[in-house]
Amino acid sequence: MIAVTAASGHLGRLVVASLLRTIPPSQIVAGARTPEKVSDLASKSIVVRQADYSRPETLAPAFAGVERLLLISGSEVGRRVEQHKAAIAAARQAGVNLILYTSILHADRSPIGLAEEHRQTEAAIRASGVPFVILRNSWYTENYGAAAVQAAKLGVHYGCAGQGRISAASRADYADAAVAVLTAKNVQNGRIYELAGDEAFTLAEFAAEVARQSGKPVRYQDLPEAEYRAVLVKAGLPEPIAAMLASGDAGISKGALYDDSRQLHALIGRATTPISATIKAALAG
Ligand SMILES: NC(=O)c1ccc[n+]([C@@H]2O[C@H](COP(=O)([O-])OP(=O)(O)OC[C@H]3O[C@@H](n4cnc5c(N)ncnc54)[C@H](OP(=O)(O)O)[C@@H]3O)[C@@H](O)[C@H]2O)c1
């Protein structure tokens, strides 16, 4: 049996859909904090179990009989180390043979604020003694979908990423990569994949592509990190979210989300999804 946590999320759903193309539904465990959210999966004969990172008592039963587990990082920033540790302990208790974890690109040296929880989770997995594979995912191209629509409307995209290049890929690409490892015959214990898109772009190039596709002038306005954060707060984002996004851009300016090793391409055996495709889908509504 192969289990996927956070199966109700965007990535989790894509992983389950990709797994369904490879193994029978009865061998898939979809773990969700709120099982009702994935009742559609139960109706496809997938095994649905409650797996709430904040309720450790749900986790070992959720992983019972599971050989390989994809632990998708949670979305409650600031609480994730404790939550992920509970999932790792439960996987160990349940006798899981392999843990895959969705981390962040170059987690070991990433200056992005979000990377700290990933570093600590990676360390906890390593310390658990359970065989593991780390999938260090770069940004999703989908992170820029709403921004593309907004930029086409306003004629400007703000950021603080400077000339930093972003090697993004779509969630479906990362999902297929996870499934490639989850279903592989032989897996190298301790392997770390740096997963990133084939093509990298700067935010100026992103703005130029939005302009090309929308037929409207769009420019990129680079700002100091504090100013960008203030713009986001003025636009209505809560301060912690604004700080997180600005930290991401600042990291990009230092090359944190650039990678040209093409490990994602190799793992999925095809080209990754370019940012132009995400912009096209977003502008089409
Ligand atoms: N690489 C990137 O660009 C990028 C961007 C955003 C996020 N991420 C990370 O990648 C993960 C997956 O991305 P996504 O697009 O699928 O995010 P998403 O759609 O926001 O889904 C987040 C998932 O985490 C689950 N979750 C949150 N707290 C949980 C808990 N206490 N116990 C169990 N599950 C919990 C959510 O469950 P509910 O449905 O119950 O809320 C949901 O299934 C995110 O959670 C985040 O860690 C990466």
Side-chain angles (χ1 to χ4, degrees):
M1 295 246 271
I2 290 177
V4 181
T5 62
S8 57
H10 291 90
L11 182 66
R13 280 194 167 275
L14 288 166
V15 171
V16 170
S18 182
L19 272 175
L20 263 182
R21 294 192 284 271
T22 319
I23 60 172
S26 57
Q27 291 177 16
I28 304 171
V29 175
R33 165 163 61 179
T34 314
E36 299 75 53
K37 280 193 179 178
V38 290
S39 54
D40 57 308
L41 301 182
S43 65
K44 287 181 186 157
S45 303
I46 288 167
V47 182
V48 169
R49 294 180 182 163
Q50 185 173 34
D52 182 340
Y53 301 147
S54 292
R55 295 184 54 216
E57 70 277 12
T58 65
L59 296 169
F63 303 153
V66 167
E67 284 142 53
R68 295 182 178 185
L69 166 70
L70 174 63
L71 174 59
I72 294 184
S73 51
S75 50
E76 297 177 298
V77 174
R79 301 185 57 200
R80 297 188 295 177
V81 176
E82 187 195 344
Q83 292 178 330
H84 295 163
K85 279 184 174 170
I88 296 158
R92 189 163 166 258
Q93 193 188 328
V96 167
N97 293 331
L98 182 73
I99 299 177
L100 272 73
Y101 173 68
T102 60
S103 183
I104 189 171
L105 192 69
H106 301 304
D108 50 332
R109 57 182 157 91
S110 178
I112 294 176
L114 286 170
E116 184 50 34
E117 288 180 305
H118 290 298
R119 270 191 290 274
Q120 290 191 38
T121 302
E122 288 190 10
I125 291 173
R126 210 168 268 120
S128 74
V130 180
F132 67 92
V133 168
I134 306 292
L135 305 169
R136 288 183 175 164
N137 295 346
S138 179
W139 262 195
Y140 304 148
T141 51
E142 289 93 336
N143 293 352
Y144 294 96
V149 173
Q150 185 83 342
K153 205 164 82 183
L154 300 177
V156 60
H157 178 74
Y158 293 104
C160 61
Q163 294 301 306
R165 302 190 75 75
I166 305 157
S167 308
S170 70
R171 285 191 186 95
D173 298 333
Y174 297 114
D176 284 351
V179 170
V181 180
L182 282 169
T183 57
K185 256 208 176 111
N186 299 311
V187 176
Q188 187 190 335
N189 178 19
R191 174 86 194 251
I192 295 173
Y193 288 95
E194 302 289 353
L195 299 179
D198 295 348
E199 290 174 19
F201 58 89
T202 63
L203 289 183
E205 288 164 355
F206 165 73
E209 180 61 17
V210 175
R212 192 186 71 75
Q213 290 198 28
S214 66
K216 295 175 189 157
V218 181
R219 69 188 168 85
Y220 172 57
Q221 178 66 56
D222 198 55
L223 300 170
E225 184 176 349
E227 258 181 60
Y228 177 46
R229 207 169 54 219
V231 164
L232 294 173
V233 169
K234 206 170 160 200
L237 288 185
E239 172 63 40
I241 305 283
M244 192 175 80
L245 292 174
S247 164
D249 259 26
I252 289 167
S253 75
K254 297 175 187 139
L257 290 175
Y258 177 72
D259 183 275
D260 62 358
S261 64
R262 291 199 166 216
Q263 294 174 49
L264 177 53
H265 186 133
L267 205 45
I268 62 180
R270 59 170 172 79
T272 64
T273 309
I275 187 68
S276 57
T278 300
I279 293 172
K280 187 174 175 198
L283 294 183

